[in-house]
C-alpha cells in the first residue's frame, strides 16, 4: 500500500456530498456547504481537507490547520504547527494503510503536529509516533492532546 495518493480537497458539491459518509460530519461541513451555496466561497476553492480516493470514491480524509507560533503552547521554542483533525477512514477501508498515508503526508510539512484523537485509536497514534502532550491548555480540558515532533523540536517543559 505504498501507492496511496493523498490530495488536497477542493470545496465543491461532489466533495461535500462525499463528506456525508463520514461520522464526523458537522458544523464545519455544513458551513462549507452554506458558503458554497451562497457564493461566499467559490466553487473548487481550496479546503483545509486532504483525502485519499479508491477509484473515484473518497474513502479517507483529514483536516489540517496551521496554527501560528504566537499561539503555540506545546513546543520549545514556540513553533508554527499543524492541528490535525477529522482523520477518518471509512469502515470498509480501515487497516489498509490509508490512515498512515494521511498522517505521513501531514508529517511531510515538517512542522510539529497536534491532534485530539478519538478514544480507541491510541494504538494507531502510538504507531504513528505521537505522544501525549503534557501541557494542557484550558480548551483541551476533557480532551487528550497528542503531539508529534519533527527533528530538532522539543516539547515545552512544564513549569509548576
Ligand atoms: N488498533 C491498533 N492498531 C491499529 C488500529 C487500531 N484501532 N488502527 C490501525 N492500527 C495500526 C495498523 O495495524 C497499522 O500497523 P502496522 O503499520 O504495524 O501494520 C498502523 O496502525 C497503520 O494502520 P492504517 O491501516 O493506516 O490504519 P487505518 O487506515 O485504519 O486508519 C484510523 C486508522 C483510526 C484513522 C481509522 O481506522 C479510523 O478512521 N477509524 C474510525 C474509528 C476509530 O477511531 N476507530 C478506532 C478503532 S475502534
Amino acid at each position: 500500500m505504498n501507492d496511496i495518493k493523498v490530495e488536497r480537497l477542493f470545496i465543491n458539491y461532489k466533495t461535500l456530498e462525499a463528506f456525508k459518509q463520514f461520522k464526523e460530519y458537522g458544523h464545519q461541513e455544513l458551513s462549507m456547504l452554506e458558503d458554497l451555496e451562497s457564493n461566499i466561497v467559490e466553487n473548487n476553492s481550496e479546503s483545509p481537507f486532504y483525502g485519499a480516493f479508491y477509484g473515484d470514491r473518497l474513502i479517507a480524509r483529514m483536516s489540517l490547520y496551521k496554527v501560528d507560533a504566537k499561539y503555540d503552547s506545546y513546543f520549545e521554542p514556540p513553533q508554527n504547527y499543524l492541528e490535525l483533525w477529522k482523520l477518518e477512514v471509512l469502515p470498509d477501508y480501515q487497516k489498509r494503510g490509508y490512515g498512515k498515508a494521511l498522517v505521513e503526508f501531514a508529517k511531510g510539512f515538517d512542522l510539529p503536529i497536534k491532534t485530539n484523537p478519538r478514544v480507541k485509536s491510541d494504538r494507531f497514534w502510538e504507531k504513528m509516533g505521537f505522544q501525549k502532550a503534557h501541557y494542557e491548555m484550558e480548551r483541551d480540558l476533557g480532551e487528550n492532546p497528542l503531539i508529534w515532533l519533527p527533528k530538532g523540536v522539543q516539547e515545552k517543559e512544564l513549569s509548576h
Side-chain angles (χ1 to χ4, degrees), residues 45-62:
S45 52
E46 283 188 344
S47 82
F49 284 94
Y50 295 80
F53 291 81
Y54 187 85
D56 60 2
R57 184 176 180 202
L58 180 69
I59 50 105
R61 68 163 194 182
M62 71 177 167

Side-chain angles (χ1 to χ4, degrees), residues 88-89 94-100 120 123-124 127:
E88 190 174 337
V89 180
Q94 289 173 10
K95 302 270 174 87
R96 298 203 211 168
Y98 286 97
K100 183 176 181 175
K120 294 204 256 175
R123 284 287 297 135
F124 170 77
K127 282 202 163 162

Side-chain angles (χ1 to χ4, degrees), residues 1 4 22-24 59-61 86-91 93-103 117-128:
M1 273 296 175
I4 295 171
F22 292 83
K23 274 199 240 164
E24 285 193 82
I59 50 105
R61 68 163 194 182
K86 298 209 174 184
L87 173 67
E88 190 174 337
V89 180
L90 294 182
Y93 300 89
Q94 289 173 10
K95 302 270 174 87
R96 298 203 211 168
Y98 286 97
K100 183 176 181 175
L102 285 167
V103 173
R118 278 169 292 166
V119 277
K120 294 204 256 175
S121 55
D122 286 4
R123 284 287 297 135
F124 170 77
W125 288 107
E126 212 175 283
K127 282 202 163 162
M128 297 301 108

